[in-house]
Amino acid sequence: MDSNFTKIIRFILGLILIVFGANKLLMIFMESGFLPQPSMPPKAGEFMGSLNASGYMLPIVGALEVYVGILLILKKWVPFALILLAPISVNILLFHFFLDLSGGMIGALVVATLNGILIYKHWSQFKPLFY
């Protein structure tokens, strides 16, 4: 289950989540992240603005991304981390598919694919959930 391939995938996904989650948190709390903010189509900007206006959604998602990334890198509770990441990765994919097709679809596909690969590799630990 923990081949070199799985270790590399787990580390890459964890690193991606930590970087983008930390950037999201810095943008919320310090109003400037370390990654440049890309321009978005109007509907995508409105959607992100409404999430930001809620006052809780983006900080929660950013904190969860960092937390899941740390769990993946440290190899702690990996199946739990993958379950937490599943709805986030699906929503990232759907956001880019419906609201910002040109913006970050490749990144969304990478996160969803890496998450899917790791879920497949740990499937034996998920089987009891479906019986």
Side-chain angles (χ1 to χ4, degrees), residues 37-91:
Q37 193 64 355
S39 62
M40 289 187 262
K43 286 188 178 187
E46 290 172 20
F47 179 73
M48 291 304 288
S50 66
L51 289 179
N52 194 26
S54 74
Y56 73 92
M57 186 59 76
L58 290 181
I60 296 281
V61 172
L64 275 174
E65 287 176 359
V66 171
Y67 179 64
V68 168
I70 290 170
L71 288 177
L72 290 175
I73 287 178
L74 296 178
K75 196 182 171 188
K76 297 288 183 187
W77 301 339
V78 173
F80 174 68
L82 296 174
I83 286 175
L84 285 177
L85 181 58
I88 295 171
S89 63
V90 167
N91 276 293

Side-chain angles (χ1 to χ4, degrees), residues 8-20 65-66 68-74 85 114 118:
I8 292 168
I9 297 294
R10 187 172 38 80
F11 184 80
I12 290 171
L13 182 57
L15 194 59
I16 289 170
L17 292 170
I18 290 171
V19 167
F20 284 96
E65 287 176 359
V66 171
V68 168
I70 290 170
L71 288 177
L72 290 175
I73 287 178
L74 296 178
L85 181 58
L114 295 179
L118 288 174

Side-chain angles (χ1 to χ4, degrees), residues 98-113:
F98 286 107
L99 298 173
D100 190 16
L101 194 56
S102 62
M105 186 55 108
I106 292 174
L109 286 170
V110 166
V111 169
T113 302

